[in-house]
Amino acid sequence: MRKKYRVKKEREFQTVFQEGASFANRKFVVYRLEPSGQKHFRVGLSVGKKIGNAVARNQVKRQIRSVLQELKSDLPPIDFIVIARPATKDLPHDEMRSNLIHVLKLAKILS
């Protein structure tokens, strides 16, 4: 995902956490912040050490980015953060996709 589609700075993450709303299922937590006048969505990823070592965490992040890339045209211009719970560690791509879509629909990011 290109830089313009990412929430990178700590200050931006904190803004989404403090001012945004949270939604969750068993595999993911999503924080969303209403539109701020931008032309496209921005996403931040958080995968904690409970998932595993760096290899495992990076693999989960790659899978999440892959799903978001597939959904890119359906995502509205908002900032949101996806937090992976430890249960995502061993999920196949199809299950990860369906769980991520489910939580994005709960957050009203996808319709």
Side-chain angles (χ1 to χ4, degrees), residues 50-74:
K50 288 183 180 181
I51 300 282
N53 61 9
V55 174
R57 292 193 307 268
N58 287 331
Q59 183 176 7
V60 169
K61 285 191 264 188
R62 281 193 303 271
Q63 286 182 328
I64 294 170
R65 280 190 207 109
S66 171
V67 172
L68 292 173
Q69 192 68 30
E70 294 171 15
L71 302 172
K72 185 177 178 180
S73 61
D74 299 331

Side-chain angles (χ1 to χ4, degrees), residues 7 9 15 21 24 27 33-35 37 43 45 48 52 54 57-58 67-68 74 81 91-93 96 104 107 111:
V7 175
K9 297 179 182 170
T15 302
K27 309 296 183 193
L33 186 62
E34 290 303 318
V43 64
L45 299 178
R57 292 193 307 268
N58 287 331
V67 172
L68 292 173
D74 299 331
I81 295 174
L91 282 181
H93 184 74
M96 185 167 294
L104 290 174
S111 48

Side-chain angles (χ1 to χ4, degrees), residues 32-46:
R32 69 169 280 172
L33 186 62
E34 290 303 318
S36 57
Q38 58 202 24
K39 297 177 183 175
H40 51 78
F41 72 94
R42 292 190 320 155
V43 64
L45 299 178
S46 177

Side-chain angles (χ1 to χ4, degrees), residues 90-104:
D90 299 320
L91 282 181
H93 184 74
D94 293 338
E95 281 187 49
M96 185 167 294
R97 185 177 194 280
S98 66
N99 279 294
L100 192 54
I101 288 173
H102 174 257
V103 78
L104 290 174

Side-chain angles (χ1 to χ4, degrees), residues 18-35:
Q18 291 169 0
E19 297 176 15
S22 68
F23 304 88
N25 64 8
R26 293 182 185 268
K27 309 296 183 193
F28 296 101
V29 178
V30 171
Y31 284 85
R32 69 169 280 172
L33 186 62
E34 290 303 318

